[in-house]
Amino acid sequence: MAGISQALSLASTEQYIDTEPNQASENRVHDHTSTSMENSLATSPQDIQYDPNFTQTVIDATGPKASKRLREVMASLIRHTHDWARENQITIDELMTGIEVLNEAGRMSTDRRNEGLLLSDIIGLESLVDEITYKVISSAKNTPTLTAVLGPFYRPNAPKYPMDSTIVHNIPDGQHAYIHGTVRDFVTNQPIPEAELDIWQAAPNGLYEQQDPDQIDFNLRGRFTTGPDGRYGFYCLLPTHYPLPPDGPSSKLLQLLDRHPMRPAHIHFIVSASGYRPVVTQIFDRKDKYVDNDAVFAVKENLVVDFVERVGDPKATFELQYAFVLAKQG
């Protein structure tokens, strides 16, 4: 982390203090660490003559065997990235800072934590791509269950449990909840048998099990399979809000952007069935104070739910009834 902290510090050495948002630039305080930076920023992009053919030369270097889709995406990426660099007069020091952020995210990423994905989350990219990929008519009265970001702490191959089991093990605090409902077909509204629900959530201390040495492996995770009636049910913890990990480049970037790291109370789901498009989603507790201010911009109104008091069940004090609706493939 020393390398990434030093690199990101370079990006934050220039401080701007605005006395009024609309006042002229002479009312701002600039702290520049070098004369060269001062001179480069004093010149507007319009005053600098760049090679007008350079970007197209890079785009045209793509060979004939590249796929059509890759050619289109990379040409757009190169064009937008070059325009961004020219518009903002990106310096070598700033470029190296950005490269080191990505490098550090790669070094921290494992099969238990995806720091690169977390970086994309805090700039809203995963949520945007999720919306593009699974766009539905927002004004429609009925839609398949909406998607939400996967997040950096998903682990495949969670244990399979019988229906109405608990995913909570050796957690002394926290309130317990029973979540139940059906998995249904979007068009016919018929129950979907053999649908799998892959579930994971954080503990009351804000940590997923792979972050917490005091939790057993795959704690607060589980997979459940519906029967012929499409029904599911399981016990879990009432979700709580928590901060994003403080030890990575994502956290450092949030600090530099003067943003909070909090995620609202939520539970993750991947719901899948043969012949249907899988749904990667989250459900959010309406009462949580961060539900309207998610650090990764993942909350959608249709995924905000109301947990209610559960009576007569010694294993849970809250419950939620929720139907997952899947659309056919194709």
Side-chain angles (χ1 to χ4, degrees), residues 27-180:
N27 291 332
R28 296 176 181 175
V29 177
H30 298 274
D31 174 23
H32 297 291
T33 58
S34 69
T35 303
S36 61
M37 177 70 79
E38 242 178 38
N39 292 338
S40 67
L41 291 174
T43 307
S44 69
Q46 292 80 7
D47 296 333
I48 300 175
Q49 295 300 315
Y50 298 105
D51 180 354
N53 301 314
F54 178 72
T55 296
Q56 192 59 48
T57 298
V58 176
I59 292 172
D60 291 343
T62 301
K65 294 181 181 180
S67 70
K68 179 181 178 181
R69 175 62 174 166
L70 180 61
R71 182 184 301 275
E72 292 173 349
V73 171
M74 287 305 300
S76 179
L77 176 64
I78 292 166
R79 189 173 293 111
H80 284 292
T81 304
H82 285 206
D83 287 344
W84 164 80
R86 283 187 285 260
E87 178 185 347
N88 293 281
Q89 299 182 68
I90 299 300
T91 67
I92 288 295
D93 280 348
E94 290 169 335
L95 176 62
M96 292 301 103
T97 295
I99 299 277
E100 178 58 19
V101 170
L102 298 178
N103 288 345
E104 183 65 18
R107 287 190 288 266
M108 291 192 70
S109 295
T110 67
D111 61 347
R112 296 184 170 213
R113 172 175 175 173
N114 192 332
E115 185 70 14
L117 188 60
L118 184 54
L119 269 177
S120 80
D121 285 343
I122 66 172
I123 63 170
L125 184 59
E126 189 186 1
S127 287
L128 175 60
V129 172
D130 175 76
E131 181 181 22
I132 294 168
T133 305
Y134 298 105
K135 187 169 180 58
V136 296
I137 300 174
S138 59
S139 59
K141 183 177 180 181
N142 297 303
T143 66
T145 298
L146 297 183
T147 55
V149 300
L150 178 69
F153 294 110
Y154 171 68
R155 292 183 65 190
N157 304 314
K160 293 183 177 181
Y161 290 116
M163 205 61 72
D164 295 324
S165 298
T166 183
I167 63 172
V168 184
H169 306 284
N170 302 323
I171 299 289
D173 51 355
Q175 296 175 299
H176 290 238
Y178 178 66
I179 300 180
H180 60 104

Side-chain angles (χ1 to χ4, degrees), residues 280-294:
V280 178
T281 195
Q282 303 173 34
I283 56 172
F284 301 89
D285 187 350
R286 190 182 308 278
K287 296 178 181 178
D288 190 86
K289 65 180 181 179
Y290 293 103
V291 75
D292 294 319
N293 193 11
D294 182 5

Side-chain angles (χ1 to χ4, degrees), residues 212-229:
D212 187 354
D214 293 330
Q215 292 188 54
I216 66 170
D217 199 34
F218 283 104
N219 193 28
L220 299 174
R221 300 175 186 268
R223 288 183 289 166
F224 298 84
T225 303
T226 62
D229 58 359

